[in-house]
Amino acid sequence: MKKYFGGIFFIAMSTLALEIAVIRYFSIALWSNYGYMVISIALFGFGVSGTLLTLAKNWFEKRINLWMYIISLSAVPLAVLAYILMKKVPFNAMQIVNPSYTFTQLSNLALYFIILFFPFFFGGIYIGLAFIAHKKQVSKLYFFDLIGAGTGTLILLILMFIIPPAYLILPIIVFFFSGHILSIDYREIKKNIYIKMGISALVFAVSLVTISFNTKIEYVPQKSIRHTMSSINAKILATRYSPLGLLQIVKSTKERSAPGLSGMSYQMIGKMPDFLGVYVDGNQSSSVMAKLNGSTIDAVKYLPQVAPYLIKDKPGVLILGMGGARSLSVAYHAVRSMNFLDCLKDVWIKENIKIKLKELRKTYKHLNDELYEKHILKHNKTRIENEVNNEWNKVIKDEINRMEKLKPFLNKAYQLTVRKYENKMPSYIHAVELSGQLVELLKNQFSKFNGGILSKGGVRAFQADVRGYLRKSKQKYDIIEMSLALGGGMSSGGNLPSHENYLYTIHSIRDAFARLKKNGILSMTVDAKENLRDALRVFTTSIKALENMKNLKKKFFMFRTMTTATFLIKNGDFTANEIKKLTEFCKNNSFDASYYLGIDPNGNREIFNQEQGENFNVAETKVGPPGQMPVVTEKKEKDKNNILRYSLYKIAISKFVKGGYKEFIEKYPFKIGYVTDNNPYFSYRLKLSKTLKVLFTGKFSEVPYEETNYLILWLNFALAIFFGALIICIPLLKTLFNKKKEEAVSGGKLVLIGYFVCLGFGFLFVEMVLIQKLTLFLANPIYSTSLVLATILAVSGIGSYFSGKLSEKLGSSSKVLLLAVSIIAVMVVLYIFILDPIVRSLMFLPMAVKLIIAMVFIAPIAFFLGMPFPLGLHEVSEKREDFLPWAWGINGATSVASTPLATILSIGMGFKGVWVISILVYALAFFIFPGRLTLKKNKFILNMKL
Amino acid sequence: MKRKLIIFSAIFLISVIGFSFSERDRKRAIAHIVRHMKRWNIPNRITKAFWSVKREYFVQNRETGRWPSKRAAYSTRPLAIGYGQTISGTRMVAWMTYMSNPQPTDKILEIGTGSGFQSAILSYFGSKVYSIEIVRPLGLDAKKVHAKRGYSSKITTKVADGYFGWKKYAPFNKILVTCGTNHIPPALVRQLARGGTMIIPVGNPYGKQRMIVLKKDRMGRIKTRAYFADHFVPMTGRALQKFRRSRGR
């Protein structure tokens, strides 16, 4: 009989590679938080295949070679079809909250499950059949299966550097076909080998041609890249790809990015600089500011990010999350920009006086120099100076037409500013950026555009992840800038990337604070266009991070613009002079100084940017249906329902100053509490009670758009439960068609169900939390997902192989289970206590070393995680063989459902909470282990003795 | 044969009656829109304009050349007019008009002519309207529609990038921006007269945007007030089809 070692290797490899490729595709075309859905779907496919094989084993066994041929060949067009069809699903996450589209969009979400199910299902069937075909060589087959899975993940990670993400499917199709070629039994089917080879070649050729014409990435309508590219003359100037993401630099009229720009910027001399957009996985992440010159330098001083440079001379600056180096440009040019107008005035007056004096000299050219100076110049100089000064005032006031008069002097003024303020420039600027490709692009291809900002004296760009750099660096800084580091991603959690965010956590803020010099300033500008909750969450997190410091209230200065909020936190106390400078800056720019020591939050002062306001009573019950019209007259304080609306900032600050902030946070209808490394879900703000209420009442429109991410996670969970239930239903088919309904033995069913439910949840909880936790360590979800999946698959497989041998040695599978569960519990407890400190202290290491360390972390627990399932199966096959398909089904179903559930629980109780649950679940599994079932009068009874 | 002819004629007549849109229907549709506006406190002064300016003249999809039904034209929802642009829903037009409070003496700048409906509404109040559209075919078409329907004496349009405003006719008493940016263009504020008002949606153009009303006081200082944030969902082809089906097309 044909040995399917090669086939199993390639099929396992292609299935895993497909899983990772689809996760990548979802990250680009949808959002990365949908990646977990793909894991769920893959598990669903494997689950169904396992159950089906257990049920229809004999049926398949009869013509196994033919089935292997058909299934391995079908996998090729199925993968192609799934990949093409998944792009056609018109999923629009935004419409979930629109009652007329909720059902349609929910069906679209379910369509992903159905479409992507087939390739994984066929992959699962193939692997299962190979085991059936060679029962005696299971261990060897298993080895090839695992090695294939690991290789698939690794190869795809490597391919991500070489092949554009849209084309990643092509090699996967080749892998699938290689698996098929190696699955053909050339000896047994000699008769029609040529026909079969012909069919295979044809199917492969058609599949390859079809997929080649369908590689285009179909972005969902809300992806910023799609919107940007729809504008006239939009052009992608550079593209780079790696596992970190698809990086695109885009030129478009929509790239005018100046978040928080003051309304007073209309007074700027010159114009706004040009911008290029930096897009990562189709999301606008930051922008590249064009080289600043005389006609654009003045724009910088109207940005909120310049505030810390007002009170720090010659600062050493650290920019966290450099992106397209916009913040870096601001840091570099802040001093020049703030003094440019003075220099322009000097140049203009000087030049105009020169011109006037020349004219005067011309008028009196008949006089010699001595007479001219004595009688003419002496009397006219002051007059001319006054005249020119008055003229300057007139010119500067004529906002619309002044540029014509000022234009000839701009460059001279700029050069004067550069010369004059050379000694006030930042002494050094360090910028940290995770993407080496972006740093390289900015240094080379776009260096002309950005004026070579990265090559300026004192400027250094480090390719590292922010948290790792903060841990590694010994340098201290006067200003640390963490502004808009996540672009729009942070503020618009709704449907934008909303996976774990380790930048705005209390641990991150503490790490950043530790790098500040005495009296240094940590500056954070947060996007607050669409909702104000982000800003409050950063505020709460900062307060919590620094709660042990003395005089905390003296360390904060907060101001807000029309679209952003800026927090300045000083490693020392703000002085009265500094507060004066900052409040003046705010007043001049129409910004609102919301908090500083001594402010009366309820006092009467001029408000420049009035919020819409929130009503807390309404918000408790109805969190603002989208599209609801608020008050339309400005004079009224009350909205159309005659309910007073409150300024969110005003209330929060008032509570912070006068006490009761904690209670306010708790009472607020959304989660705006602090964020930790243990629960780094910044963008998930919908409270559990509200979510459940919406889910059960179906009033989706009560959820504001920016909070839909949590709701979608729950909907995903609901779908997973639905599909999980389908897996459980398959064994029912057997019961229906089974004619022999008498059972020799009964009882113990609940125990068996309980055991496999526990394993399904426990295993996935540990795995999912490891993926989420290692995202911090490996700085990217795709690295952590690939690594954890590959390692757990491979090592747990080895564990399951050894479980049988161990039980032979120890004499009882109960003992092996006790050993496995105890070690899992000990390891998880260790993770709870030591993983965080270890991860934080080793974050500075190079990526390759970190990958190896992560593997070492995972391997031991993965080994033991692989044991309980085969031990249980073994017991079931001995005691209640009829239950075997159920065991597979239940395990599959719970695995599918536990993927989104792990994330939901992590958001609710943090990673540590989920780990504690996994220990409890495994402990329960130990107590209800099928090995404990003892037969008494044809009925199984659970023996609870230890 | 005769029987078939009668049946076909009957079907034809029923569909003609069913789908026809008389002046009475138009009035009914507008009355419905006005009722909606009343709920948002839009005063009579503004709603009157909607009786006068016929929305059905502006709803043609310039890219495909197709006209949606008159019934669809009077729905409260936005409609696709081609080139990825939409004619705003009536409530948005009404709200923006209300906030700008157009007066006969006003010079109003509109950024994003689109279909030309908003500028036509503004011109109803006797204001002089200057409108800029970046999409050439849309800009040119709107100009034609204005000329054909007799609005061109009050409305001047040009095809250009609205970010830089229209310096030639500045300053403006009111500025209405109908497309989202992440900041308020300084050139537009510069071209806003002292004491003037600007209405602009600020936010992610591909997501939710917050309506901002900006006032420039006599001293040249800027004050803003945030209003509602709304979904500006791009009307995809599919959504449009669904919408048409629901309107009986």
Side-chain angles (χ1 to χ4, degrees), chain A residues 224 256 266 399-400 404 492 529-530 562 590 606 608-610 612 627 629 632-634 705-706, chain B residues 40 91 95 98 161 163 167 182-184 190 194 206 208 210 220-224 226-227 231:
Chain A
S224 35
R256 283 154 182 159
Y266 76 91
E399 285 149 11
I400 293 174
E404 277 81 39
S492 315
K529 286 193 289 280
E530 293 135 26
M562 197 184 326
S590 288
E606 200 171 17
F608 293 103
N609 302 288
Q610 211 174 338
Q612 185 198 348
M629 281 309 244
V632 285
T633 50
E634 282 194 62
Y705 151 71
E706 60 271 19
Chain B
W40 309 319
R91 78 164 178 185
W95 190 84
Y98 171 50
D161 189 349
Y163 185 82
K167 201 174 145 192
N182 78 353
H183 64 275
I184 295 178
R190 196 176 294 146
R194 297 205 166 182
Y206 36 85
K208 203 173 171 186
R210 191 168 285 282
R221 288 191 315 165
I222 300 300
K223 285 190 179 177
T224 65
Y227 281 85
H231 293 191

Side-chain angles (χ1 to χ4, degrees), chain B residues 33-46:
Chain B
I33 291 171
V34 168
R35 270 202 303 280
H36 260 261
M37 287 175 193
K38 290 280 176 200
R39 267 191 261 157
W40 309 319
N41 298 344
I42 308 279
N44 281 342
R45 193 176 95 81
I46 305 297

